[in-house]
Amino acid sequence: MIEAHNLSFTYAGSKRPAILDVNLGVDKGEFVVLTGPSGCGKTTFARCLNGLIPNFYQGELSGSITIMGTDISGHTTSELSRKVGFVFQNPENQLFSLSIERDVAFGPENLGLPKEETRRRVDWAMEITGISELREAAPYELSGGQQQRAAIAAVLAMKPEIMVLDEPTSFLDPLSASQILEAVADLREEANMTIVLIEHRLDLASKYASRIVVMDQGRVVLDGPPAKVYGEEAKLIGVGIPKISMLFNLLRQDGFDMGETPVSVEEATERLRSYLKDDRG
Amino acid sequence: MSLNMFEGFKFKRKDTLLHRMDPRPKFLIALTIFLLSLIYVNVLVLLILLTVQVPLVYASKSMRRWFGSMRGGTILAAMIFFMNFLTGSTLVFSATMTLRFLVLVSAFSIFFMTTSPDDLGLALERIGLPYTLSFTFTTSVRLVPTIAIEAQTIVDAQRSRGLELDRGSVIERVRKYIPILIPLIVSAIRRSTELAEALESRGFGAVKHREPLATLRMKRSDWAAAITTTLVLVAGVYVQNTMPIPSFDTGIRIPLPWGP
Ligand SMILES: Nc1ncnc2c1ncn2[C@@H]1O[C@H](COP(=O)(O)OP(=O)(O)OP(=O)(O)O)[C@@H](O)[C@H]1O
Ligand SMILES: [Mg+2]
C-alpha cells in the first residue's frame, strides 16, 4: 500500500534533516500509529505521503515513496488526494464552507464527480462519522470534536484508500478524543481503509492499532505490534506509552512475568486474572 | 472603530424572506439603493432611501446588528459631514453627503447580513467569475470575523501585559500598535498556509470542471423582486432627469474668508 524507501528530507534553510533514511512499508488494512517525541519528524513524514513535500515545502528530498504501486514523485497533492486522504490537527483551518454538508461535498466536487455521486458520497460519509444531523450547521457552531468529525467526513467522501491523520485529537478533550479515535477505527472496518495515525495519546489509541511505529530524531527506532513495542522500555524515552503497559513492564522487572505487555485496561485485567488463577491453582 | 461594526456585515443564518432570497436580486436591491443615492443630491430623497431600509432590516430580524454597523459608521459619517461643512459647503449639502454614506453602509450591511458567503460564491460563479477567484473572495469574507476575533484576543493579551493603547502622542500610539500587528500577521500567515495545505489535500483544482452539489435557482419571488427593483431604478432615473425636485437647501454655511 505504502512503501517508503530511504526517505530523507531537509527543510530549506535548516541544517539538520527532519527525517533520515526512513524505510516503512504499510500493508492494506493496517492501522499504524506513528508516535515519538515532539520534533522527531512525524508530520514531515506524513507530508511526504500526500505530496505536500516537495510540492508545498521547499527542501532537499531523497529516497522514494510508492503508493499502491506507483511512484508518487512528480505528482501534485491534489492528484494524490484521490488515494491519500489527509486530516490535519486544527479542524478550524480545514473547513471552508458555512455548512457542513457543503464542506463534505467540496472534495468530491473538486474531483469532478457528477452531482448524484457527490450526493451519495456525502450522505455516506456523514453517516459513518455520525454527523448526519449537522448538515446545515456552520463549522463555528460545532464543538471541536464535531468539527474534527466533519473534517474526517470531508476526506472520507473522496474515498481515498489511505487515510493519514496528523494528531487529529490534540485540540480535543479526552472524551471527544476517544470518540474520534473510535470513529477512525470504524473507518478501517467499514470502509476497509488503511490508516496512518500520528498520535501522542497512546493511552487512547493503542487498542485500535495493529502496529506502532516510533520515531526519534528523524529515524524510525521501533516498529511492531503494540505489545512488542511497549515491552522495549529502553528505547521509549520521551514516548508516553500507556500507563497500564508501563505497570506491567515494571512488574516484570520485579519478577512478575505475565507474558506479553498489555495495551489496554481490558487486556491487562484479563492477563492479571489468569495469572492470579494460575498462582492459586 | 470597534469590532461590533463587523458584526453588522457578518452573515447569520436565519429563516426570513431576505435570507431565502437569491443573492442576485438581493444584490440588485442593494445596488439600486446605492445608485439612487448617487444620482439624487437631495436630502429628502436620501432620507427616504434610508428609511425604506428599516422595514427590510426588521423583516430580516437583524435590527440590533444593523444598529451596530450604523453606529460604527457614525464616526466616518461625522468626518464626512465636517469635512464638507468646514470647507464651505451648505449645511444641507453636508448632511446630504453624510446621508449618502449611511445609505451605502446600510444597504450593504443588509446584503451581507442576509447572504451566506457560500451562496455569494455560487452567484459569482454564475455571473462568470472563475471558480478560484470566487472561492478566494468568499473565503476572505468568511475569514474577516475570525481575524477580527483574533485581533481582539491579541489586544486583550497585550493590554494585560501593560500595553496602553490610548495614551501618548499620535506617533507613540501608532508605535503601540506594532505589538498587535506582528502577532496578527504571523497568525494570518500561519492560518493561510494551513488553509492552502488543506485545500490541496482536498483535491482543489484537480479537474477543470467541477459540478457543485448546491446550486442557485431563481424562484418566482426572486424574479418578482428583480423586476420590481429594476422598475424602481428606471423610474428613479427617469424622475431625476425630467422632474424638478425641491432641494430644501437653506443656504446656511460657514462664512469663509475667501467666500463660498
Ligand atoms: N516548515 C518547516 N520549515 C523548517 N523546518 C521545519 C518545518 N516544519 C518542521 N520543521 C523542523 O523539522 C523537524 C521535524 O518536525 P515535525 O513537524 O515533522 O515534527 P513532529 O514529529 O511532527 O513534531 P510534533 O509532535 O511537535 O508535531 C523539527 O526540527 C522542526 O523544527
Ligand atoms: Mg507534528
Side-chain angles (χ1 to χ4, degrees), chain B residues 1-208:
Chain B
M1 205 174 349
S2 79
L3 299 169
N4 286 336
M5 195 176 159
F6 287 111
E7 279 291 310
F9 287 94
K10 192 171 121 189
F11 171 70
K12 224 185 200 149
R13 196 150 48 87
K14 288 197 169 129
D15 195 22
T16 77
L17 211 63
L18 269 182
H19 284 81
R20 281 193 300 269
M21 190 185 278
D22 188 281
R24 290 162 288 183
K26 208 184 325 182
F27 188 75
L28 190 64
I29 294 176
L31 195 66
T32 298
I33 293 175
F34 178 52
L35 286 177
L36 289 177
S37 80
L38 281 186
I39 61 174
Y40 283 93
V41 191
N42 184 301
V43 75
L44 183 67
V45 176
L46 281 159
L47 266 178
I48 292 172
L49 283 173
L50 194 59
T51 326
V52 293
Q53 297 188 48
V54 177
L56 288 182
V57 180
Y58 185 75
S60 63
K61 298 185 182 157
S62 309
M63 232 4 167
R64 206 178 44 79
R65 291 189 301 136
W66 180 76
F67 268 120
S69 58
M70 295 312 275
R71 204 164 6 167
T74 45
I75 300 168
L76 278 170
M79 269 169 64
I80 292 174
F81 180 83
F82 286 113
M83 257 154 56
N84 278 288
F85 192 56
L86 297 178
T87 53
S89 302
T90 65
L91 187 64
V92 171
F93 181 81
S94 308
T96 312
M97 291 296 132
T98 311
L99 271 174
R100 178 183 284 171
F101 173 72
L102 290 176
V103 166
L104 173 73
V105 170
S106 162
F108 284 94
S109 153
I110 297 176
F111 177 77
F112 283 112
M113 279 193 298
T114 60
T115 308
S116 149
D118 289 345
D119 287 340
L120 194 55
L122 287 174
L124 288 171
E125 270 172 81
R126 269 299 174 78
I127 59 172
L129 208 67
Y131 179 66
T132 39
L133 278 183
S134 75
F135 183 84
T136 312
F137 177 75
T138 50
T139 305
S140 336
V141 170
R142 202 176 60 83
L143 281 182
V144 168
T146 318
I147 290 178
I149 292 171
E150 208 159 74
Q152 188 63 59
T153 313
I154 294 172
V155 168
D156 290 345
Q158 300 291 41
R159 277 221 173 105
S160 73
R161 294 174 171 190
L163 183 75
E164 290 176 315
L165 284 172
D166 9 67
R167 280 218 197 153
S169 69
V170 176
I171 295 171
E172 264 174 57
R173 281 193 204 191
V174 170
R175 187 147 10 113
K176 280 179 182 167
Y177 268 91
I178 294 175
I180 308 286
L181 277 179
I182 305 261
L184 196 60
I185 292 170
V186 168
S187 119
I189 290 175
R190 220 188 67 171
R191 185 185 297 279
S192 56
T193 315
E194 285 185 16
L195 276 172
E197 272 185 286
L199 269 181
E200 282 284 312
S201 307
R202 297 264 291 280
F204 189 71
V207 294
K208 282 232 164 58

Side-chain angles (χ1 to χ4, degrees), chain A residues 11-12 14 16 18 36-45 47 57 89 166-167 198 200:
Chain A
Y11 286 98
S14 160
R16 235 165 36 85
S38 189
C40 69
K42 305 180 292 292
T43 299
T44 306
F45 176 68
R47 282 174 182 153
Y57 292 90
Q89 205 168 2
D166 189 357
E167 299 189 41
I198 297 177
H200 279 296

